[in-house]
Amino acid sequence: MTKVTMTVNGRPQTRDVPDTTLLSDFLREELRLTGTHVGCDTSQCGACVVHVDGRAVKACTALAVALDGAEVTTIEGIAQGKELHPMQTAFNDHHGLQCGFCTPGMIMTGIDMVERYKASGLPLTEEAIRHELEGNICRCTGYHNIVRAIEDAAQKMQAAPAAAAE
Amino acid sequence: MYPTTYHKPASLSDAAAALSASDEAMVLAGGQTLLPTMKQRLASPSALVDIRAIPELRGITVSGATVTIGAATTHAEVAGHHGVQQTIPALACLAAGIGDPAVRHMGTIGGSVANNDPAADYPAAVLGLGATVVTNTREIAADDFFEGMFATALDEGEIITAIRFEAPKRAAYMKFRNPASRYAIVGVFVAETDAGARVAVTGAGADGVFRHSGMEAALSASFAPEAIDGCEVGEGDMASDIHASAAYRAHLVTVMARRAVAGAV
Ligand SMILES: Cc1cc2nc3c(=O)[nH]c(=O)nc-3n(C[C@H](O)[C@H](O)[C@H](O)COP(=O)(O)OP(=O)(O)OC[C@H]3O[C@@H](n4cnc5c(N)ncnc54)[C@H](O)[C@@H]3O)c2cc1C
Ligand code: FES
Ligand code: FES
C-alpha cells in the first residue's frame, strides 16, 4: 500500500492504495466518482478519459501511485455549480449521445482538443475533430452529432478565456 | 494485474540500482504498452521502476543538425516541438500520427523503441534515419539495435536515456494504418542523407522493422518515386494475419515507399 495525494476537481484527496491501482479505480472505487467510465480492458475505447495536469489521458492506463501530487479533473468537475460546461451544453443541444456510456470520455477529450487548438492557433476543422476523436469509441451515435457538438462548443469556448476547470 | 511494487527514482543511478535489486523488475515509462500488457497478465514485473522523474531523461535539444530526444519525452511533446518540426519534420509528423491524443500525452519515445513492436512507428524513424540509441551504459547504432519483433540489443536492466537523430536532406514517413488499433499495417520511412538513401519498413516484416536494400540502392541513384518501380518486395519475408495477407503487405510496401519519396521534405 502506498499513500497517494491528488487534487481531484479542485479538492485534495489522500488514500492508501495498492501500487497496482489504476487511476480509473482510484476515482471510481476510492472517491466514488463514477462518471469516469471503463469500457474496455485494452486502452482503446476512451470512455475513461480525464485530465491530468491539464492533458487528456486514459485513466485506465495510468497508475494512481504515479500521479502523487497531480491535478486531476473528471467529468464531475467541469460544470460551474448548476451551470454546465459549454461542451456539456453542446452535447445536449446537438443530441451528441444516446446511451451516454462514451459521453464522459467524449466530453473530456472534446475540451482537451479545443483548448489545445486554441493555444496553438490552429483551426479545429471537422476533419481535425474526427482525427482527434480516434481514441474515443461510440457504439450508438455514428459520431456525426458528437462532431457537431464539439464544433459548436469550440466556437463558444473560443470566445471565453481558458476553461475555468483547468 | 498481478501485484507489484512501484518505485519512482529521481536519478539514473537509483533507477539502475532499483532494476538490479529485483529479478523481474521492469522500467515503466508512459505505461501505454506495459499497463495494458499487465492487465492482460502477459507481463508480471516484480517491481516497476518509473523513469519519468529523472530530469535528464526528459526534453528535446536541437543543436545544428542534431536532435536529441530524452527517452521519457512523450509523443505529443515531439509532435509539437518547434525545433523538431523545423529540423526533421518527418519525425514530428510521425509522432503526431501515433495512436490517439491520450496515448500521445503519455507514451514515450524510449518506451516505443525499447518495446520494438513490429507495427510501431518510431522504430522506422530510428532505423530510417540511422539514429543512435543512447543508454545508461553505451551508445548503440540503430542498425545494431533492432533484433526482430519485440527484441532489441538492450541488456537486462539497461535503460535508454535518449535517441539522437541527425537531420537528413529530406525524409518522410507514410503509414497505412489499421483503423482499429492505429498501428501500422505497413509504414515506410525514407530518408535522403549525405551517405545515400535509407528505407526502413515497419508493420510489414514477419520479423519486425527492416531496411530495404534494393530500394535504398535505387533511391541513392535517383531520389524519385519512379526509381523504385522495379524493386522486388519478397512476400516470403512479410507478416500475414487477419488484417492483411503477405501479398497485400508486400504490395503496400512499394505504394507507401513511393508516397513517402514523393512527399519527402
Ligand atoms: C490505443 C493505443 C494505440 C497505440 N497506437 C500506436 C501507434 O499507432 N503506433 C505506435 O507506434 N504505437 C502505438 N501505441 C503504443 C504507444 O506508442 C506506446 O506509448 C509505446 O509503445 C510505449 O511507450 P510507453 O512510454 O508507453 O512505454 P511503457 O508502456 O511504459 O513501456 C513499454 C516497454 O518498454 C520498456 N521501457 C520503457 N522505457 C524504457 C527505457 N527508457 N529504457 C528501457 N526500457 C524501457 C518497458 O519496460 C516496457 O517493456 C498505442 C498504444 C495504445 C494504448
Ligand atoms: S476504459 Fe480506458 S480506454 Fe477503454
Ligand atoms: S452514446 Fe452510447 S456509446 Fe456513445
Side-chain angles (χ1 to χ4, degrees):
Chain A
M1 302 288 269
T2 301
K3 195 167 132 182
V4 181
T5 301
M6 292 178 212
T7 305
V8 179
N9 299 332
R11 287 174 45 196
Q13 301 278 8
T14 302
R15 294 290 188 282
D16 247 324
V17 292
D19 287 6
T20 47
T21 306
L22 299 168
L23 176 59
S24 48
D25 288 332
F26 185 85
L27 295 170
R28 291 178 56 85
E29 308 293 331
E30 296 290 333
L31 306 184
R32 294 286 168 188
L33 292 172
T34 53
T36 297
H37 291 170
V38 175
C40 72
D41 210 13
T42 50
S43 308
Q44 279 170 316
C45 76
C48 64
V49 169
V50 299
H51 296 180
V52 174
D53 295 328
R55 280 183 298 272
V57 306
K58 293 175 180 174
C60 75
T61 315
L63 292 178
V65 280
L67 298 174
D68 192 49
E71 295 254 0
V72 177
T73 306
T74 70
I75 187 73
E76 289 92 344
I78 57 172
Q80 300 287 313
K82 286 209 154 95
E83 193 183 325
L84 291 179
H85 188 282
M87 190 64 73
Q88 291 172 301
T89 307
F91 269 70
N92 194 349
D93 289 349
H94 293 269
H95 198 59
L97 61 146
Q98 288 178 27
C99 80
F101 194 85
C102 69
T103 313
M106 290 288 178
I107 287 181
M108 299 312 283
T109 299
I111 295 173
D112 173 75
M113 78 173 79
V114 172
E115 297 292 355
R116 269 189 293 112
Y117 275 69
K118 204 165 145 179
S120 72
L122 292 171
L124 186 59
T125 59
E126 179 188 335
E127 195 190 347
I129 294 172
R130 290 184 184 275
H131 174 63
E132 290 284 332
L133 281 179
E134 268 165 359
N136 292 77
I137 294 172
C138 177
R139 293 300 299 260
C140 303
T141 64
Y143 301 98
H144 288 299
N145 290 351
I146 292 174
V147 175
R148 301 279 170 280
I150 295 175
E151 274 179 327
D152 183 24
Q155 286 193 351
K156 292 180 178 140
M157 289 168 68
Q158 194 69 41
E166 294 302 310
Chain B
M1 221 185 261
Y2 293 107
T4 186
T5 54
Y6 173 85
H7 305 267
K8 198 172 200 173
S11 76
L12 201 51
S13 53
D14 285 354
L19 281 171
S20 58
S22 176
D23 242 5
E24 305 279 318
M26 284 179 88
V27 172
L28 174 70
Q32 301 302 289
T33 293
L34 185 51
L35 292 176
T37 315
M38 288 172 67
K39 288 204 269 181
Q40 293 173 322
R41 302 201 166 192
L42 296 171
S44 51
S46 53
L48 287 174
V49 180
D50 189 335
I51 56 169
R52 287 172 290 185
I54 305 171
E56 65 263 41
L57 262 52
R58 298 210 73 132
I60 300 169
T61 52
V62 180
S63 134
T66 308
V67 175
T68 309
I69 303 178
T73 308
T74 64
H75 309 330
E77 286 163 349
V78 173
H81 190 272
H82 188 67
V84 179
Q85 290 167 353
Q86 295 289 310
T87 317
I88 316 180
L91 188 60
C93 212
L94 174 146
I98 297 175
D100 55 59
V103 167
R104 293 195 288 275
H105 283 150
M106 291 289 268
T108 69
I109 188 169
S112 176
V113 171
N115 196 50
N116 192 19
D117 187 298
D121 298 307
Y122 268 128
V126 171
L127 192 61
L129 290 167
T132 305
V133 180
V134 185
T135 78
N136 56 332
T137 56
R138 58 187 167 142
E139 298 197 345
I140 309 167
D143 285 327
D144 303 323
F145 183 81
F146 300 104
E147 298 185 338
M149 50 169 82
F150 299 108
T152 69
L154 289 175
D155 289 330
E156 198 88 358
E158 190 170 2
I159 303 168
I160 300 178
T161 57
I163 314 283
R164 199 172 62 229
F165 298 90
E166 295 299 327
K169 286 196 223 161
R170 50 186 166 151
Y173 177 64
M174 287 292 157
K175 149 155 111 163
F176 193 86
R177 55 191 354 215
N178 177 326
S181 77
R182 276 86 73 193
Y183 277 95
I185 288 180
V186 170
V188 180
F189 197 102
V190 301
E192 187 185 15
T193 74
D194 289 333
R198 290 176 73 100
V199 178
V201 182
T202 190
D207 206 21
V209 66
F210 66 92
R211 286 173 66 187
H212 194 291
S213 50
M215 287 189 189
E216 290 186 353
L219 291 170
S220 295
S222 155
F223 197 82
E226 323 64 88
I228 54 176
D229 278 353
C231 293
E232 284 282 325
V233 180
E235 264 178 54
D237 305 325
M238 296 291 120
S240 188
D241 55 29
I242 54 163
H243 306 298
S245 67
Y248 185 53
R249 278 193 165 85
H251 179 72
L252 276 180
V253 171
T254 308
V255 175
M256 291 298 117
R258 281 185 67 116
R259 286 186 195 170
V261 175
V265 281

